Amino acid sequence: MNKFLVLLMVLSISTINLYSQNKTLKGRVISDFFETMPGVAIMINDSVKVGRTDLDGFFKIKIPNSINKITFRFVGVDPTSIEVIDECDKIEVVMMMTGTYDFMTLKRAERKRKKRFNKIPEIHKQAFEKGIFQTKDACYNRTFEPYYLNKN
């Protein structure tokens, strides 16, 4: 009877550990003009909200270890999707303000957005030098997501 009880306890504790495989991520979100971003929604799987940034743009979230894609959304700012590197626990994100591209073609507007996107690593380094960020380089992978896809 004692062996059965011990076995039952070991199995229950091991299954609890399987379900609690979460990682905690901390960080900060700013705009490409070095302004803090309060109230940015932080989502996983493009639909599950896991947190928001505070008034100074800081956040602390817990996500499952199996999730590595996080999306940041806010009104007036382009949605930002990042792919977290496994050994990373500090995420500092620069979000691009949504621009208005009146009286130009979609291709030209995408080129302008891409040009602004390519400046984000430099903005990250400048934010580090100004003391806004704590890391010099981003600890995640980020790719440009065009609004307009050329189907030719």
Side-chain angles (χ1 to χ4, degrees), residues 3 25 38 45 51 54 62 74 77 86 98-99 119 141:
K3 290 180 182 179
L25 300 174
N45 297 332
D54 66 7
K62 288 186 179 184
F74 192 68
V77 180
D86 287 336
T98 302
K119 292 180 182 179
N141 297 321

Side-chain angles (χ1 to χ4, degrees), residues 56-105:
D56 294 321
F58 290 101
F59 66 90
K60 181 178 180 180
I61 58 171
K62 288 186 179 184
I63 61 170
N65 281 336
S66 60
I67 301 294
N68 63 353
K69 183 180 177 188
I70 301 174
T71 304
F72 298 87
R73 295 182 185 268
F74 192 68
V75 176
V77 180
D78 289 348
T80 302
S81 295
I82 63 169
E83 195 174 312
V84 181
I85 299 171
D86 287 336
E87 51 283 337
C88 183
D89 63 347
K90 186 89 162 151
I91 298 175
E92 296 169 325
V93 180
V94 177
M95 294 182 76
M96 287 190 336
M97 301 297 269
T98 302
T100 54
Y101 301 103
D102 295 332
F103 309 111
M104 67 177 68
T105 64

Side-chain angles (χ1 to χ4, degrees), residues 36-52:
T36 59
M37 301 290 296
V40 174
I42 305 168
M43 307 176 88
I44 58 174
N45 297 332
D46 292 328
S47 62
V48 179
K49 185 176 163 187
V50 293
R52 281 196 174 277

